[in-house]
Amino acid sequence: MNYIWDLLIKTEDEGFQTKDIYFHLAQIYSPYMELSPQLLNSQVVEQHVEVNPYYRYFQIFKDLFHPDYTSDKEFRDCLLDITLHFLAEIDRMQGMNKKEFYIRFILRDIQANVFGKRVHDHIKLFSKKEQEIVALNMLRLYQTGEEIYLIKDTLKNIFKNCFIYVKSEEKAELLLYIQQKKTEKNSKKVELIQEIFLPVGYHIEVYWQYHFGIIGLEETMMLDRIALY
C-alpha cells in the first residue's frame, strides 16, 4: 500500500470503517511515498497513519504546516485528516467504471430498504466483498434474466465447495448442499440469496454439512444420516 485510497480500500475489505482511520503528518517520510509506515512492506491496517501529503498534493498543503506557524496545531491536524479523506474518495471515484457505480447504487438501494426488510437486515451479515458479489449478480439479473444461473453463481461465490442440483422432473426444485455447519448467520445469507434470485414457483431445499444420498454414488449413501434422492 502506497496511496491513501489503497489504504481505505484495504480497510473496508477487512471489515473496518474508513472514518476510524486518522491521517497525520509524518515526522520522517520518503519524498517518493505517500504513506509512511514504520515497516515499509506492512499490509496491516492501523488506525493512525502517517502520511506525506506533499507527495501528490503539494499545492494544497504547502502552507498548512509552514515552520513559522506554531499556533492552532490541533486544528491543522484535523483539517489535514478531513481533507485527505475527501481526496481519497475523489481518487476512488476517478478509478471506478460504470459497472462499479451501478454496484454502489444497488447497495445504496438495499440500505434504503428498496428490496424489502429481509434483504436490508441480512445484507449486513455479508462482508464487503460478498455484498459486491450479490450486487453484481443483481445487475446481471436485470441485464439477462438468468435466475437459475445467477442463484447458482452467487451461492458458489459465497459458500465455497457447495453443490446445487436442479430437480425439475416432478416440481421446480433446487437442492443445495453446503459443506458447513448450519448457523444462524449462514442460514440468513441463504435466505437473502433466495429472496433475490430464486425464480417464482421454485422451491429450494438446503442440506448442511452432510451430503444427501444420491443413488449410484456410493460415497453419498450414508445410512440413517440424510435424505435420499
Side-chain angles (χ1 to χ4, degrees):
M1 298 181 293
N2 186 32
Y3 297 99
I4 51 177
W5 58 265
D6 194 14
L7 173 68
L8 295 188
I9 291 174
K10 177 76 171 177
T11 299
E12 290 183 345
D13 287 344
E14 295 194 3
F16 301 106
Q17 298 289 323
T18 57
K19 65 182 179 63
D20 295 328
I21 300 296
Y22 297 95
F23 295 115
H24 304 278
L25 176 67
Q27 299 302 310
I28 300 174
Y29 54 82
S30 166
Y32 306 107
M33 296 181 63
E34 189 161 84
L35 300 181
S36 299
Q38 291 185 351
L39 299 176
L40 189 61
N41 296 319
S42 175
Q43 295 296 313
V44 177
V45 175
E46 297 182 353
Q47 187 174 15
H48 295 272
V49 181
E50 292 193 344
V51 179
N52 170 15
Y54 311 119
Y55 178 69
R56 287 191 296 157
Y57 306 114
F58 177 78
Q59 292 300 322
I60 297 176
F61 297 109
K62 62 180 180 179
D63 295 322
L64 186 60
F65 294 99
H66 195 281
D68 293 339
Y69 298 158
T70 58
S71 61
D72 300 320
K73 185 178 185 304
E74 184 176 345
F75 169 76
R76 288 184 283 128
D77 287 339
C78 184
L79 182 60
L80 173 73
D81 177 56
I82 294 171
T83 307
L84 285 176
H85 273 278
F86 178 70
L87 292 170
E89 286 302 318
I90 293 177
D91 275 346
R92 295 175 67 181
M93 290 293 184
Q94 289 178 333
M96 292 173 63
N97 57 33
K98 185 166 70 172
K99 180 178 70 176
E100 290 169 324
F101 273 104
Y102 285 153
I103 288 173
R104 282 200 171 194
F105 294 152
I106 291 173
L107 291 174
R108 185 181 64 185
D109 285 347
I110 290 175
Q111 294 299 330
N113 222 8
V114 172
F115 297 96
K117 187 175 186 303
R118 177 183 290 183
V119 176
H120 170 270
D121 292 344
H122 292 3
I123 196 68
K124 301 170 185 175
L125 301 173
F126 291 73
S127 68
K128 179 178 180 292
K129 185 176 181 180
E130 290 174 339
Q131 289 181 16
E132 291 175 350
I133 290 170
V134 172
L136 173 60
N137 276 352
M138 290 176 71
L139 176 61
R140 295 167 70 189
L141 179 62
Y142 294 139
Q143 294 170 337
T144 67
E146 295 287 341
E147 296 116 316
I148 296 297
Y149 171 79
L150 289 171
I151 191 172
K152 292 168 70 175
D153 184 74
T154 306
L155 287 165
K156 287 182 176 179
N157 278 288
I158 301 300
F159 299 101
K160 302 304 179 184
N161 300 318
C162 74
F163 296 91
I164 305 106
Y165 305 87
V166 180
K167 183 174 179 288
S168 55
E169 293 85 359
E170 300 174 0
K171 59 180 179 178
E173 184 178 33
L174 293 179
L175 305 177
L176 170 62
Y177 164 63
I178 299 177
Q179 196 176 5
Q180 299 179 24
K181 289 185 178 180
K182 182 178 181 180
T183 64
E184 182 179 1
K185 180 178 179 179
N186 284 338
S187 296
K188 288 182 177 179
K189 284 185 176 184
V190 172
E191 287 176 9
L192 180 142
I193 295 170
Q194 178 178 341
E195 181 82 9
I196 295 173
F197 298 103
L198 189 67
V200 175
Y202 267 79
H203 170 71
I204 187 168
E205 195 73 36
V206 185
Y207 296 91
W208 301 89
Q209 193 171 1
Y210 301 114
H211 199 292
F212 50 83
I214 300 177
I215 297 175
L217 291 179
E218 185 176 348
E219 60 269 23
T220 67
M221 300 295 286
M222 301 292 182
L223 294 176
D224 299 325
R225 175 174 289 185
I226 201 67
L228 180 66
Y229 285 91

